[in-house]
């Protein structure tokens, strides 16, 4: 069952599909507003989200007991542009992927990073 | 152009209003602690959107810094009106199509349209706001002691241009190399922010910022283009449209300012005035310099 409203598309079936409308507000280095970009994607595996969280915690020197959720925004955690780029580089190393500039710019939350990683890992040619 | 710089002040002091700040404050009594006083001003000064933004920050330090940043932007832009005082509360902000924050002069009730541009950058301990007239501006600040988690050259190879990597590779001392990396980061970031089209409009490896031979602080922007098949022979286009001012602030931070040289000012040197400020409280001229 699906219902369509002006701004969101939601599925009632209990599937792993998720919808996300995302925007980011930042005060320092600005990020492009994504306004009503709609994404329907398979949510990343919890292990991936966890690995991303660990990398973010390390880069931003957050205490071990800082509660991060998939929705945690890098900017809200105090990441500046240099932090974000270091996080992207750490993710590339950890997952052996290569992130395009445009994609890197669109990563603003842990969930988005995890989703992009799984997308790229899946697309890699078989070794 | 002018830069207002705010460092976290831990002292308390009483003040008389400096005459150069033409703002009416609710109270002129003894000010116990500048940071606490400014936080009390949050409800007074910030828009709802800004307050929501402050609330989004995780942790008290980050919230406080977000609040101080918005306060600095509003009070700084309000000060530099060219013909009339403006209440910092009445300023409205919007984002350009790429997400760069700008003053929304049209929706500001008591403002005349001003050719003022601003840009802001902050670290844990320093917030900088740059204001210019007529030309776009970008500013970036970084802690001098900031440690890069990755190997500096590996990081540069991944993100910077080939010429910049070569420059960094010639620096034998790792600490000096790290510092030059950071300086270069602030220059490149200031350019992208001045351009105002987002990171992907000017990926870091598509342009080189290099010092101008014979100058101590002159920098120029060169675009690398990958037309040739041989990556070692990237053709470069250097132009003088973008001017850079590298600065050191409070002995603790590197900063870079970038402006677009508009036609009217073609080739004219850039005058940079740095002030250290606590909004409503204190204002100190730090330096006034010319950058060619």
């Amino acid at each position: 069952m699906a219902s369509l409203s002006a701004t969101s598309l939601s599925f009632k079936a209990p599937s792993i599909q998720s919808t996300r409308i995302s925007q980011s507000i930042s005060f320092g280095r600005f990020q492009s507003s994504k306004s009503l970009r709609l994404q329907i994607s398979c949510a990343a595996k919890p292990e991936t989200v966890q690995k991303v969280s660990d990398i973010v915690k390390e880069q931003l020197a957050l205490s071990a007991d800082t509660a991060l959720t998939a929705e945690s925004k890098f900017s809200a955690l105090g990441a500046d542009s240099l932090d974000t780029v270091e996080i992207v580089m750490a993710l590339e190393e950890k997952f052996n992927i290569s992130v395009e500039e445009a994609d890197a710019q669109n990563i603003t939350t842990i969930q988005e990073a995890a989703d992009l990683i799984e997308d790229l890992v899946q697309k890699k040619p078989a070794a | 152009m002018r830069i207002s710089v705010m460092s976290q002040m831990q002292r308390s002091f009483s003040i008389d209003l400096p005459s150069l700040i033409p703002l009416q404050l609710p109270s002129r009594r003894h000010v116990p602690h500048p940071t606490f006083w400014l936080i009390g001003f949050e409800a007074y000064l910030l828009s709802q959107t800004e307050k929501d933004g402050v609330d989004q920050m995780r942790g008290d330090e980050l919230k406080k810094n977000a609040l101080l940043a918005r306060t600095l932007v509003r009070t700084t832009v309000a000060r530099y009106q060219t013909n009339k005082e403006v209440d910092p509360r009445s300023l409205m902000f919007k984002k350009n199509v790429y997400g760069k924050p700008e003053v929304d002069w049209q929706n500001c009730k008591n403002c005349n349209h001003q050719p003022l541009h601003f840009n802001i950058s902050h670290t844990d301990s320093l917030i900088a706001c740059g204001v210019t007239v007529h030309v776009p501006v970008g500013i970036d600040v970084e802690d001098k002691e900031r440690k890069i988690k990755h190997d500096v050259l590996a990081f540069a190879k991944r993100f910077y241009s080939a010429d910049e990597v070569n420059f960094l590779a010639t620096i034998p001392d790792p600490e000096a190399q790290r510092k030059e990396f950071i300086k270069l980061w602030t220059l490149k970031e200031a350019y992208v922010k001045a351009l105002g089209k987002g990171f992907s409009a000017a990926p870091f490896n598509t342009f080189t910022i290099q010092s101008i031979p014979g100058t101590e602080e002159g920098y120029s922007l060169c675009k690398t283009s990958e037309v040739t098949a041989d990556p070692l022979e990237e053709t470069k286009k250097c132009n003088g449209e973008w001017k850079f001012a590298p600065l050191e602030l409070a002995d603790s931070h590197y900063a870079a300012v970038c402006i677009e040289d508009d036609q009217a000012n073609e080739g004219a040197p850039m005058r940079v005035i740095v002030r250290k400020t606590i909004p409503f409280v204190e204002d100190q001229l730090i330096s006034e310099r010319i950058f060619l």
Side-chain angles (χ1 to χ4, degrees), chain B residues 24-133:
Chain B
Q24 295 302 312
L25 296 183
S27 161
R28 295 186 179 200
R29 292 194 296 274
H30 174 81
V31 177
H33 188 298
T35 307
F36 296 150
W37 187 60
L38 284 167
I39 288 172
F41 257 78
E42 176 186 353
Y44 173 74
L45 197 57
L46 265 56
S47 69
Q48 190 56 51
T49 308
E50 287 166 332
K51 287 188 226 178
D52 292 344
V54 169
D55 283 339
Q56 272 196 356
M57 301 305 286
R58 299 273 304 269
D60 288 341
E61 271 303 303
L62 291 177
K63 281 183 167 47
K64 186 180 80 172
N65 288 346
L67 162 63
L68 291 172
R70 295 316 301 168
T71 304
L72 184 64
V73 169
R74 281 183 174 271
T75 53
T76 304
V77 171
R79 285 174 67 169
Y80 293 114
Q81 300 305 298
T82 49
N83 56 356
K84 195 175 106 130
E85 298 175 18
V86 166
D87 182 346
R89 279 181 303 171
S90 66
L91 290 169
M92 307 278 287
F93 295 91
K94 60 177 181 176
K95 291 190 177 178
N96 77 4
V97 63
Y98 303 98
K100 181 177 182 180
E102 302 179 332
V103 184
D104 185 356
W105 297 108
Q106 260 144 5
N107 284 323
C108 169
K109 294 200 175 55
N110 295 317
C111 313
N112 302 315
H113 187 92
Q114 302 282 346
L116 285 178
H117 299 257
F118 79 93
N119 194 235
I120 188 170
S121 173
H122 54 81
T123 66
D124 293 344
S125 58
L126 190 144
I127 304 170
C129 179
V131 179
T132 52
V133 182

Side-chain angles (χ1 to χ4, degrees), chain B residues 133-136 240-243 259-268:
Chain B
V133 182
H134 293 300
V135 294
E241 284 160 26
W242 297 93
K243 291 192 145 40
I259 63 169
E260 185 172 14
D261 188 10
D262 67 348
Q263 308 296 11
N265 262 333
E266 219 167 27

Side-chain angles (χ1 to χ4, degrees), chain A residues 15-92:
Chain A
S15 68
I16 54 171
Q17 287 172 317
S18 65
T19 62
R20 264 200 320 285
I21 311 278
S22 47
Q23 265 181 309
S24 63
I25 300 170
S26 66
F27 298 112
R29 189 168 175 285
F30 58 92
Q31 294 169 327
S32 60
S33 129
K34 288 174 282 178
S35 36
L36 300 176
R37 193 183 88 183
L38 182 68
Q39 270 182 297
I40 302 171
S41 59
C42 298
K45 296 197 281 289
E47 311 83 273
T48 309
V49 172
Q50 186 57 49
K51 283 179 187 166
V52 175
S53 294
D54 291 342
I55 285 173
V56 170
K57 268 193 194 178
E58 193 188 323
Q59 175 60 37
L60 302 181
L62 304 174
S63 65
D65 54 358
T66 307
L68 295 184
T69 69
E71 267 62 49
S72 295
K73 284 191 194 163
F74 296 158
S75 59
L77 297 168
D80 65 9
S81 51
L82 188 42
D83 289 313
T84 304
V85 169
E86 287 224 79
I87 288 169
V88 167
M89 197 159 164
L91 295 175
E92 289 183 327

